[in-house]
Amino acid sequence: MDAKDILGLPKTPLPIPQEKKSRPQKDSQRKPDGISREVYALTGGVAPLMPSIDVSQLKRRPPSDEKITWQWLPFTSSARKDDLQLYHWVRVVNGVPPTGDYSFAKYNKSVDVIRYTDEEYEKYLTDPKWTKEETDQLFDLCERFDLRFIIIADRFPTHRTVEELKDRYYSVSRAILVARAPSPGEVAGHPLVKEPYNVTQETERKRALSMVLSQTKHQERKDAEVLAEAKRIAESRMAARAAEEPDLPVPSDVGPESAEGAVGPGDTISPSNVQAPAAAIAPSTSVIADNASTLASLRMLRVYLRTYALEQMVQAASSSAGLRTIKRVEQTLQDLGVNLKPKVPTKAVCAEHLELRKEILTLLNLQKQLQYKEAEGSSFRDGSYGDMPGTAKRSQRAADQDRTFVPDTISFGGDRVVKREQKRKGPGRTSETPSSPAGAHKRPRKMKASDL
Amino acid sequence: MVDTSLSKKKDPDQPEISLPTLKSQRTKMGKSEDSEKKKKIKDVEISVPIVYGNAAFWLGKKASEYQSHKWTVYVRGATNEDLSVVVKRAVFQLHSSFNNPTRVVESAPFELSESGWGEFEIAITLFFHNDVCEKPLNLYHHLKLYPEDESGPMSTKKPVVVESYDEVVFTEPSESFLARVQNHPAVTFPRLPAGVTLPPPVSIEDESKKKRGDTKDHPLSQWFLNFSEADELLQLAAARQQVQAHIAKLRRQISLTDGQNQQFKPL
């Protein structure tokens, strides 16, 4: 407001347009009386749904007819066994001090530890592993420390584990209860009788707990991995069983479909067609399982969009591939002039798209394979493993880069080292990929009609 | 998408237990009478190709600051057939700055017209008839008012149109649904498994009351885009062919290299 004044701007605000997001009413209502404005703002500055502060109580003063004084008076507590007299401030009303026990005495609770007589001990409670003396000591400690067994175990004269002590205490108490009860039915409801202490189970449980607690991070990660793996296997096994039938037609469909759509020499197509599906199946039984589980989950949906289904299938197919590989697949698709997401996602188009992606994955894997094999080969030939494979070729290649366009991965004509005039992608890209000894395994390039 | 070719699959309806003929006939008939409506056909999917998007006209002289465009968002059948055979209603969720941003359209054509200045995401929820699917389906469309080419002049005559093609797939459709849409052009009817016969169709609404729901003569139909799968299929097939050829070549090279490496392997 003041700023506008200083600047000489008009004070009337612009009309709020219909489409701007309407601001919630931020000005707090008139603050309630009884508390200061800042304090009220702490609660949010807005009136609560249910008033949590009863405002009328806030400034209430004690009724004026009462006379209040505070006096330093002695007191005793029923919680104490001695007669210790202590002093404290007491609120005295009209000269009459308050009556009653010390107000905190009621919190002095203790456990009802059952005490047995010697006779009862002889009759019901003897145990080869426990002497009477020990049992007596145990019960004393239990009473003294309100069944805090950790402390009892610490203070117990002979060395006993917490579980042993608990076992002895609970079995003795149970035996006493049962013995003293007029009939078994009456005691049956008592918690000690209903649920006896199970030593072995407890020991086992605590051991397992301590194991989990003391696991190193490394072990934790391993465990998580194993569990995830097991879950995946179980899921895929279930889904594969459920979706077994639809899976079978997939490989056989690939062949005829691509044969239909292909434009080109029929002979060269068929052998590679047969190879491609075979390659798709062999290394990736896990991929098929992934596909099967995706199909199963899609079926569960009852209704879905084709594009969504394609996304899921693509994800399932590339589940084993890293991010870099996925990017390379997408780059390849672009180079081939294919939309990353089909513009007309019909059933047939989606199927083709998926198969194409899988084939590109196979292609990339094979390229890598070939790279490794050639690296192996050249290291064998050089005779020394210390050399970086292809160093000699690399310097040659650097010279090449200065002169001509770098030959791309998929070269035709079989001769890998032949340089061609090809469209260069850009400096950034070529520097990314490492040079290989074969010199011909970069990202695939855009296919030209003349190449076919 | 996996082709649900069903020639190999056994007919799921026929019981495999060998009961005396009379009894099995009775049980079968009883079953089909009771659950005819609900009976779903496994391993069959039926799809409805749709196109959804918007057309936006610039208002030119008549444009004000906050009402610069008049636009229509819609969902239509891909071949402009009537979607109301499948879709019961469509709910368009607009930006919260609009009055009553939840707009419900109860009949075809499923569209909504408004005027405004801003582009935002519209959530379209399709509700289907009871025998089709109980779950609704969500589509998302980003409203486009301004042309891609920002430098070009805006015309009041030619709208900015953005459409997306997709297909709504229903898994395990009920028999009654299939029977009802058997010959409808809006739906891609699947191949039924051997031995499955459909009951006679039961119409869900009064035919005479229905107004025309197809978009063939829609005022905006001249701007609708054409979606042809042929081009895309061709593109994909060509791409696959090339990739497969390279795969073959690589395999040859790999086996060649393997052979070479064998010679030079250190002893």
Side-chain angles (χ1 to χ4, degrees):
Chain A
M1 298 294 150
D2 323 301
K4 282 199 179 158
D5 230 355
I6 295 170
L7 291 172
L9 287 176
K11 284 208 188 122
T12 54
L14 294 167
I16 299 174
Q18 185 195 4
E19 269 123 26
K20 282 233 185 82
K21 280 203 166 112
S22 62
R23 259 180 232 151
Q25 262 183 313
K26 272 285 284 290
D27 336 321
S28 33
Q29 317 285 352
R30 211 178 75 88
K31 67 155 183 77
D33 300 325
I35 52 177
S36 70
R37 183 164 53 94
E38 282 83 4
V39 175
Y40 189 62
L42 282 177
T43 64
V46 188
L49 295 170
M50 279 288 294
S52 50
I53 318 165
D54 190 2
V55 189
S56 52
Q57 300 283 337
L58 285 171
K59 279 223 173 130
R60 195 182 54 151
R61 299 201 194 284
S64 43
D65 53 344
E66 291 180 354
K67 209 163 81 120
I68 309 288
T69 52
W70 285 85
Q71 294 176 12
W72 182 251
L73 296 174
F75 72 98
T76 53
S77 167
S78 62
R80 293 194 69 90
K81 292 192 193 64
D82 51 22
D83 288 322
L84 180 63
Q85 209 184 52
L86 296 170
Y87 287 79
H88 65 184
W89 285 106
V90 175
R91 186 172 181 267
V92 177
V93 184
N94 287 344
V96 179
T99 53
D101 194 11
Y102 179 54
S103 56
F104 293 105
K106 62 182 183 276
Y107 298 115
N108 190 36
K109 300 273 190 211
S110 61
V111 180
D112 285 327
V113 169
I114 302 172
R115 299 320 293 257
Y116 49 82
T117 63
D118 293 342
E119 201 184 288
E120 282 173 326
Y121 188 88
E122 296 304 317
K123 271 215 292 195
Y124 310 110
L125 308 174
T126 51
D127 189 291
K129 286 181 284 185
W130 284 80
T131 65
K132 182 166 189 308
E133 198 185 308
E134 275 191 314
T135 317
D136 287 344
Q137 281 177 331
L138 172 62
F139 269 74
D140 279 334
L141 285 173
C142 285
E143 202 171 314
R144 193 167 144 212
F145 289 113
D146 292 327
L147 292 190
R148 292 186 172 93
F149 281 101
I150 310 281
I151 304 175
I152 294 167
D154 272 347
R155 309 228 170 183
F156 205 70
T158 49
H159 182 66
R160 293 265 189 186
T161 65
V162 174
E163 288 79 36
E164 283 177 20
L165 296 171
K166 277 192 183 177
D167 185 33
R168 183 63 177 150
Y169 171 78
Y170 287 121
S171 48
V172 164
S173 306
R174 194 161 185 270
I176 295 281
L177 275 176
V178 169
R180 287 186 190 168
S183 76
E186 286 184 10
V187 205
H190 190 97
L192 272 177
V193 176
K194 258 205 305 194
E195 281 146 58
Y197 183 74
N198 189 337
V199 190
T200 44
Q201 192 190 52
E202 282 294 294
T203 336
E204 194 50 43
R205 180 181 69 87
K206 288 190 182 170
R207 194 184 64 83
L209 207 59
S210 71
M211 257 182 51
V212 171
L213 192 64
S214 57
Q215 254 189 357
T216 60
K217 267 214 159 69
H218 181 64
Q219 277 175 308
E220 254 182 59
R221 255 184 283 129
K222 276 217 174 131
D223 280 348
E225 272 174 47
V226 170
L227 282 170
E229 187 70 43
K231 191 171 167 220
R232 240 189 332 121
I233 294 174
E235 248 175 48
S236 64
R237 212 176 278 155
M238 258 195 343
R241 242 184 286 132
E244 236 175 8
E245 294 272 330
D247 245 358
L248 291 174
V250 171
S252 54
D253 272 357
V254 168
E257 270 180 14
S258 35
E260 277 169 16
V263 176
D267 287 341
T268 47
I269 296 299
S270 19
S272 53
N273 262 356
V274 170
Q275 278 182 7
I281 300 174
S284 47
T285 39
S286 63
V287 175
I288 289 198
D290 273 340
N291 277 346
S293 61
T294 320
L295 281 174
S297 62
L298 283 173
R299 199 170 300 151
M300 287 296 121
L301 285 179
R302 283 281 190 258
V303 61
Y304 56 83
L305 282 173
R306 191 79 74 188
T307 47
Y308 170 77
L310 180 63
E311 264 173 55
Q312 297 292 306
M313 302 288 286
V314 166
Q315 252 184 25
S318 3
S319 57
S320 54
L323 190 58
R324 191 120 73 87
T325 321
I326 295 175
K327 288 267 179 268
R328 287 174 71 195
V329 170
E330 293 183 350
Q331 182 59 47
T332 315
L333 283 170
Q334 278 180 342
D335 291 343
L336 291 165
V338 169
N339 297 317
L340 280 180
K341 288 198 177 177
K343 283 278 181 287
V344 189
T346 62
K347 190 162 169 173
V349 167
C350 288
E352 286 289 298
H353 188 97
L354 190 64
E355 292 307 311
L356 178 61
R357 275 189 183 246
K358 288 189 197 165
E359 282 166 3
I360 294 175
L361 268 175
T362 312
L363 179 69
L364 295 176
N365 284 336
L366 284 176
Q367 279 175 0
K368 220 191 294 186
Q369 225 182 31
L370 187 57
Q371 238 179 350
Y372 286 153
K373 292 217 186 261
E374 290 183 338
E376 253 185 355
S378 70
S379 68
F380 289 157
R381 255 168 287 159
D382 292 345
S384 58
Y385 291 92
D387 278 351
M388 273 287 285
T391 27
K393 296 260 172 70
R394 196 185 277 159
S395 52
Q396 181 200 16
R397 153 171 283 281
D400 288 348
Q401 282 182 359
D402 290 338
R403 280 199 322 231
T404 65
F405 296 111
V406 178
D408 285 326
T409 325
I410 303 178
S411 49
F412 289 86
D415 188 354
R416 285 177 247 121
V417 201
V418 169
K419 300 179 219 12
R420 288 161 180 263
E421 301 279 345
Q422 290 169 6
K423 195 162 145 186
R424 190 174 175 170
K425 274 298 160 166
R429 288 210 180 262
T430 49
S431 58
E432 257 181 58
T433 54
S435 60
S436 60
H441 293 285
K442 293 233 169 139
R443 75 211 170 285
R445 67 180 175 92
K446 192 175 180 112
M447 308 305 158
K448 295 193 195 147
S450 53
D451 287 336
L452 282 170
Chain B
M1 281 307 288
V2 174
D3 189 13
T4 51
S5 70
L6 309 144
S7 44
K8 297 178 194 157
K9 186 124 175 69
K10 264 196 279 204
D11 185 350
D13 299 330
Q14 283 169 5
E16 292 183 13
I17 327 160
S18 52
L19 295 169
T21 334
L22 217 64
K23 190 171 174 195
S24 71
Q25 264 188 357
R26 242 190 295 136
T27 44
K28 203 167 173 206
M29 266 172 47
K31 198 164 97 164
S32 59
E33 268 169 24
D34 286 341
S35 52
E36 197 178 85
K37 289 244 152 54
K38 297 286 180 191
K39 189 137 170 247
K40 297 195 188 296
I41 309 214
K42 284 186 174 300
D43 298 318
V44 169
E45 67 171 42
I46 183 169
S47 60
V48 183
I50 57 169
V51 172
Y52 60 96
N54 75 273
F57 286 93
W58 181 49
L59 292 174
K61 285 188 301 185
K62 296 190 216 151
S64 69
E65 197 182 340
Y66 300 111
Q67 314 256 326
S68 58
H69 287 73
K70 187 157 176 4
W71 50 265
T72 308
V73 62
Y74 54 84
V75 182
R76 64 176 173 91
T79 46
N80 290 317
E81 299 294 344
D82 188 356
L83 283 181
S84 54
V85 64
V86 170
V87 177
K88 187 160 66 174
R89 84 175 86 92
V91 177
F92 296 88
Q93 185 68 33
L94 304 179
H95 191 266
S96 48
S97 56
F98 281 87
N99 282 332
N100 304 323
T102 312
R103 307 283 171 94
V104 183
V105 180
E106 298 279 0
S107 62
F110 298 102
E111 64 183 28
L112 174 71
S113 298
E114 258 290 353
S115 49
W117 60 270
E119 299 181 338
F120 54 90
E121 185 177 82
I122 302 179
I124 310 171
T125 313
L126 297 178
F127 290 87
F128 307 103
H129 293 297
N130 291 337
D131 63 343
V132 175
C133 182
E134 280 156 12
K135 277 174 52 182
L137 184 68
N138 289 322
L139 307 165
Y140 300 94
H141 174 72
H142 187 83
L143 181 71
K144 195 114 177 53
L145 305 178
Y146 304 96
E148 280 295 328
D149 180 15
E150 288 175 22
S151 56
M154 295 216 282
S155 137
T156 52
K157 298 285 193 298
K158 189 159 180 283
V160 170
V161 176
V162 174
E163 286 187 328
S164 309
Y165 175 97
D166 212 325
E167 297 188 345
V168 182
V169 182
F170 299 98
T171 59
E172 298 191 0
S174 68
E175 275 191 347
S176 50
F177 172 34
L178 286 175
R180 191 161 60 78
V181 302
Q182 213 161 16
N183 291 314
H184 201 285
V187 169
T188 308
F189 203 78
R191 210 163 69 221
L192 293 176
V196 172
T197 47
L198 297 174
V202 174
S203 180
I204 40 165
E205 47 192 41
D206 190 357
E207 293 289 334
S208 59
K209 283 216 195 95
K210 258 193 338 165
K211 69 176 197 299
R212 200 165 147 201
D214 66 73
T215 43
K216 292 195 183 134
D217 290 330
H218 195 274
L220 292 172
S221 61
Q222 57 175 305
W223 307 113
F224 289 163
L225 301 173
N226 264 328
F227 291 93
S228 137
E229 66 168 348
D231 291 333
E232 200 136 28
L233 273 179
L234 212 66
Q235 204 182 47
L236 284 168
R240 284 189 70 187
Q241 180 202 340
Q242 287 174 343
V243 170
Q244 284 160 11
H246 289 132
I247 287 178
K249 181 184 291 316
L250 278 174
R251 286 192 201 282
R252 285 199 290 274
Q253 285 174 348
I254 285 176
S255 57
L256 208 74
T257 319
D258 269 344
Q260 287 175 349
N261 286 351
Q262 283 290 353
Q263 295 175 19
F264 293 105
K265 242 196 185 138
L267 297 157

